[in-house]
Amino acid sequence: MNMFLNSMESKEISTFRRISNTLQHLSTYHLSLPVEDGTENEHPLRSPDIDMLKHLLDGDFKRDRTQIRQLIQNSKSFEEIHLIESISPEVHRERTIQAVREVIDLSIVSVTDMKDNPEKFLSWFETVSICDLSVVLKFAVQYNLWGGTVLFLGTKKHHDKYLNDISNGKLLGVFGLTELGHGSNVQGLETTSTYDNATGEFIINSPTWTSQKYWPGNISAHGQMATVFARLIVDGTDHGVHAFIVPIRSAPSPGKPYGEVLPGVEIRDITQKSAYNGIDNGGLLFRNVRIPKDNMLDRFSCVNERGQYQSTVPPNRHFAAMMSVFFIGRLCISSISLTAMKSGLVVALSYSHNRKQFGPPKQPEQPIINYSTHQRRLIPWIARCYTLDFTHKYVVKSSKSMDVLHSYSSGLKAVTSWDSLVALQNARECMGGQGMRLKSRITVLRAHSDMCTTGEGDNIVLCQQVAKFLLFKYNNSINEGGSFTGELEYVNNIHRPTTENWRSLSYQQWLLEKREFALIKELHKKMYTSNPSIKPNSEEWYHLWDKCLNLAIQLTKANVDRLVHSIFLQKIISITKESNASTLQMLKKLCCLDGLVQIQRDLGFFCSTGIISGHDKWVKLDDEINALCKEITPFSRELVEPFGIPPRFHPYQNSLE
Amino acid sequence: MNMFLNSMESKEISTFRRISNTLQHLSTYHLSLPVEDGTENEHPLRSPDIDMLKHLLDGDFKRDRTQIRQLIQNSKSFEEIHLIESISPEVHRERTIQAVREVIDLSIVSVTDMKDNPEKFLSWFETVSICDLSVVLKFAVQYNLWGGTVLFLGTKKHHDKYLNDISNGKLLGVFGLTELGHGSNVQGLETTSTYDNATGEFIINSPTWTSQKYWPGNISAHGQMATVFARLIVDGTDHGVHAFIVPIRSAPSPGKPYGEVLPGVEIRDITQKSAYNGIDNGGLLFRNVRIPKDNMLDRFSCVNERGQYQSTVPPNRHFAAMMSVFFIGRLCISSISLTAMKSGLVVALSYSHNRKQFGPPKQPEQPIINYSTHQRRLIPWIARCYTLDFTHKYVVKSSKSMDVLHSYSSGLKAVTSWDSLVALQNARECMGGQGMRLKSRITVLRAHSDMCTTGEGDNIVLCQQVAKFLLFKYNNSINEGGSFTGELEYVNNIHRPTTENWRSLSYQQWLLEKREFALIKELHKKMYTSNPSIKPNSEEWYHLWDKCLNLAIQLTKANVDRLVHSIFLQKIISITKESNASTLQMLKKLCCLDGLVQIQRDLGFFCSTGIISGHDKWVKLDDEINALCKEITPFSRELVEPFGIPPRFHPYQNSLE
């Protein structure tokens, strides 16, 4: 702390002290206190403490992470042969499952950690996602989805019977939610589960071609059971979508390691994809397959002993109750694209420090990272990785209510996956043709992140949920007198900062708050002005809302930008005591750079609404971002070292080939 | 014409008449005349005349295009088996060459058309690029690059000896320019060609590992000869980079269809890439390989009978002279990404019209194209395809000087390839998981467009050349008294339009002109203020320029935006007589939408420089774009029909599967 304070001006010290002291009184998401960091007066940047950065990124699970990284670095099963040779999906799938078993053998987490220790689970998942992403997606299928339904939607009888074998990989399973005809609108799915009172069984049926369960991994080769979401019909009444465990293959037997497809079950293979070819995605149809009554996952509802449907949640909340428990899964998918972004940046940075091209007249050629365009295309994404990483860790630890967590995880997944694609495209282009060799992994990582934009909830659909959450909060607040609480509490404390210095983190925070609030108000105006008592779910709402979709997406991005910036600020403040001055200074720079880049991305909104005024702001902001990138560049390799990408996935460390 | 005039208000009629009449007096690139289109007063849109649109896009080469499309649709060689099965690069390469031979057998163009009929050549190239893009890239290697060097850098003796066999595919060859150590900075390449006066031969040598020719297709499997760019050494003097024909494999013989690698030649294969695995990219090293004197491509320079070097261009212009002839090749690469964008849009649009999801309360589910986000993500790219298509056609026909054409083709290639990637990413996400199936082609097309961002000149490097071209033009103009000519002539006529109606095409044109000129002035200020007599190529210049790189890229984009918008306007005006009213109206809408989207993309610059002022412009512009997309959506399938994508590449026309 003292070293850090010594490096600051007295005004900064008092600001930081004030913030540190008041942190405990702050609403978690509000941090608009002035952080008069005045970075422009600081000493030149120095190397950060890499161990401290590693500590920040590895969190409390350094030992677990190290074990996983060593396995990935050393085991033959994690060689990415599909990046060098054409291999068939069959070979890729077998390698994937072999790698999965080796990770299981480390015995780091079990399915129940999703509930008991989500922080540990996310940390484990994120580290596994360093390798071929088919491996981690196989875990997403097996643990988060198949295991997750049993854990979160089942009761003790299911937990006792299945969870252990799901964790140890003996019982591979399928998450049968989406259908060919219903991807996003899963409430409209067609599969039926009809209760037969005579036998006490459910009859699972796929009434149409479009009702086939479509996409889930573990269908076409490996899965022995499936959680099937189906419309529950009891005595001719449709009670909506519920979940059931349905066996689809027989138990493994000698010579048949994945058993045989059971009668009444039909399976299709989904052919080549742009990524995850180690996953056996498929289509799954049921021809009146009978399952015992106990196979209904009955945490929220059941068919009772008298053959009657009963539920602990109202019908219109039932589906949401089932879905909300998957927020950890969404964070996991988001962390796949975050790790892909980190991995790609490590490769592109190495290459750009080694690769030389052009130079000043009559002087040797320069490493291409020295060019300001290369810096602009790579350095801000390093900052972004830190920002998003801190936010993932914050959200998984948060004890907020489920609707808040749903909003956080949805917005964060959308922004992370979109950002990852842009970052990886920049990384690709920064490597020239080498970026197109599969060996460099860049395009493969991009293909994997690509899935994350529509997997585990289409980003556009999720953004709408975030925007509606904020809109309803706002509408309730003004109906109740205009005091903002919860996620909108920050609005009560938006004060124009004393500085408009681009590098002031508090100025940036103010800008981000102003923008988000302006977007909420605009959305509210559009939805409620003509009819203040408009009903959500009415036809009027449906048509008005459609006109606001782009606005809703902008609002979600703005919401996430504000959130991640405030979380980064908190992180800086919270480690002030334990960090040295150069590390804190570096983190402030990263936070500052990330803030400025987000502001530049949307400068049109800031300027056209008057939040930013004055002449030539575009040029000045652009110059500032250039300057920041240039300051950080000499430390860029140090900054990505804590990402912990094993050397095996780092093909351009020393030279060209 | 009359039908069209009948549909317009009298003010519009007079405007259009005036424009038609004055068109012939206009500078080709200046079209800031008021086009008071007042689209808001028009009748509702009606179906355009598809034949007219086809005519616009097919140009004068409808018959050729039809022949190629039929071949692609019907021949077994054009089945994209690699999208369904894993096939080895060897199999893919053989299929590619088979498809190439079938296209050659149509006898539509020859290599000399690049010079004699570039418009026809581009049209042919663009149509071939509908199929698996390995096929068209094989042609780029064989015709544009290998053939292009012989045609443009060679003389009659080379033309007579080689061109026929290059055109008919008997003599496959390599374009040996880039080296492992030199991709963009090709002037720094290391391969040497030393003249041996005793024998009258050149000795081709690769002195280092990094001097290997790296990337070119036709290296690792098929090429029999190579144009090798090497430093010419005569009597110990290095005369810089020149081009030589070097045999690398023996002639085909029974059982050896591609001959055998010749002594002194070493060949490496480049392993799996993210795209173009039908192309045999490789590395190529020479161990003092001797070639006859006649193998020097001697259009600009030669070693004369007395063994002395002589050249018709000054040494510092020699390399540029050699490179400038490849502008047609750059247009071809650009058209690959344009065609990829078209192909992807056709698929995503079909899917989005068929796929239903969600809907108003208690009503059937709606096609997802009905949602405003889907419209925003797809419809503007249809407009963009028309815009860019017209521009490619304009540029290839243009009789401007080579420096202008270099600037046009460079900027256009950069913008088209970047846009194509964004369009295809949107298409991918609009198709949900189906977009990740290789069968949908979307991700494959994206991977192909991706190459175009760094192939045939890295976009960042090309943007710098465009920006420098404009900067020097501007600097010369103000040094010579401030009257602007040539590419800057438009500056003399920038007048604030009478309307600020977003839909006014002349207002849009004014905005685009203002922005480009503001960027030129800003760049000039940064480069010349501190030292008005700064020398390009000085060290001072080098460092200042590096600080301006992002500005230079923004300027290039702004330049292309203005250019393409004015070309679209010209196109509309030029076809007024032959088109019906609904078609003209539709083209105006497309032009308008494209203009608005480009303006929104950079609204921060427009607002922060005061070019756009007033409150809430972001929201108003966003609403306008939403509204335009909604108007055009019902006609979207009609609008992509003229792209001419054969049914084979159109997998979601009728239903899901």
Side-chain angles (χ1 to χ4, degrees), chain B residues 474-544:
Chain B
Y474 177 76
N475 192 49
N476 291 341
S477 294
I478 56 170
N479 286 341
E480 288 161 10
S483 171
F484 298 101
T485 57
E487 292 318 295
L488 293 183
E489 204 186 329
Y490 76 90
V491 176
N492 302 319
N493 299 296
I494 302 180
H495 301 299
R496 182 176 280 276
T498 51
T499 173
E500 290 193 1
N501 178 346
W502 287 123
R503 297 215 183 185
S504 158
L505 299 179
S506 59
Y507 175 54
Q508 292 181 11
Q509 185 71 10
W510 177 79
L511 290 173
L512 297 172
E513 289 171 349
K514 286 287 280 185
R515 174 179 60 158
E516 182 184 356
F517 190 52
L519 282 162
I520 294 176
K521 284 190 292 184
E522 184 63 38
L523 184 60
H524 189 267
K525 191 171 91 183
K526 282 190 181 321
M527 291 304 298
Y528 285 91
T529 301
S530 61
N531 175 8
S533 56
I534 186 172
K535 292 270 169 287
N537 304 324
S538 64
E539 192 167 334
E540 183 187 3
W541 176 278
Y542 177 87
H543 293 291
L544 260 183

Side-chain angles (χ1 to χ4, degrees), chain B residues 1 12 33 132 165 167 309 396 463 496:
Chain B
M1 179 68 173
E12 280 187 86
L33 283 179
D132 172 14
D165 281 349
S167 285
Y309 176 76
V396 75
C463 285
R496 182 176 280 276

Side-chain angles (χ1 to χ4, degrees), chain A residues 271-292:
Chain A
T271 49
Q272 297 276 78
K273 298 149 287 178
S274 55
Y276 302 103
N277 282 304
I279 302 287
D280 52 331
N281 298 102
L284 176 63
L285 291 113
F286 299 98
R287 303 300 181 204
N288 294 313
V289 171
R290 286 178 171 265
I291 55 168

Side-chain angles (χ1 to χ4, degrees), chain B residues 333-461:
Chain B
I333 295 296
S334 187
S335 84
I336 286 183
S337 53
L338 176 57
T339 309
M341 170 157 44
K342 289 176 183 169
S343 302
L345 282 174
V346 166
V347 177
L349 261 179
S350 277
Y351 182 80
S352 304
H353 276 275
N354 284 319
R355 170 76 168 179
K356 292 174 181 169
Q357 208 76 178
F358 299 106
K362 295 177 189 151
Q363 288 177 45
E365 287 189 301
Q366 297 290 304
I368 54 180
I369 192 65
N370 288 6
Y371 295 102
S372 65
T373 28
H374 252 68
Q375 295 173 2
R376 284 292 290 267
R377 301 181 97 183
L378 295 176
I379 306 300
W381 297 112
I382 299 178
R384 196 67 174 160
C385 284
Y386 277 88
T387 315
L388 294 171
D389 188 292
F390 293 155
T391 307
H392 280 76
K393 288 185 172 55
Y394 174 88
V395 172
V396 75
K397 257 177 151 169
S398 167
S399 55
K400 302 251 171 177
S401 64
M402 194 43 77
D403 57 345
V404 178
L405 293 179
H406 178 70
S407 174
Y408 286 177
S409 62
S410 299
L412 190 58
K413 199 272 289 187
V415 167
T416 306
S417 56
W418 277 329
D419 278 352
S420 176
L421 285 179
V422 183
L424 289 166
Q425 183 59 31
N426 277 292
R428 191 327 255 157
E429 294 177 33
C430 281
M431 294 186 67
Q434 293 287 351
M436 290 196 71
R437 292 182 68 185
L438 296 195
K439 182 177 176 299
S440 77
R441 301 183 87 227
I442 303 283
T443 58
V444 182
L445 293 163
R446 187 183 57 193
H448 283 101
S449 269
D450 187 13
M451 178 280 287
C452 303
T453 61
T454 53
E456 199 75 24
D458 180 278
N459 280 358
I460 300 287
V461 175

Side-chain angles (χ1 to χ4, degrees), chain B residues 172-203:
Chain B
L172 298 174
V174 170
F175 176 69
L177 177 64
T178 53
E179 298 177 353
L180 178 57
H182 287 92
S184 290
N185 186 16
V186 283
Q187 289 200 63
L189 50 82
E190 300 173 78
T191 306
T192 53
S193 172
T194 308
Y195 184 65
D196 180 353
N197 205 9
T199 62
E201 293 170 317
F202 295 102
I203 306 163

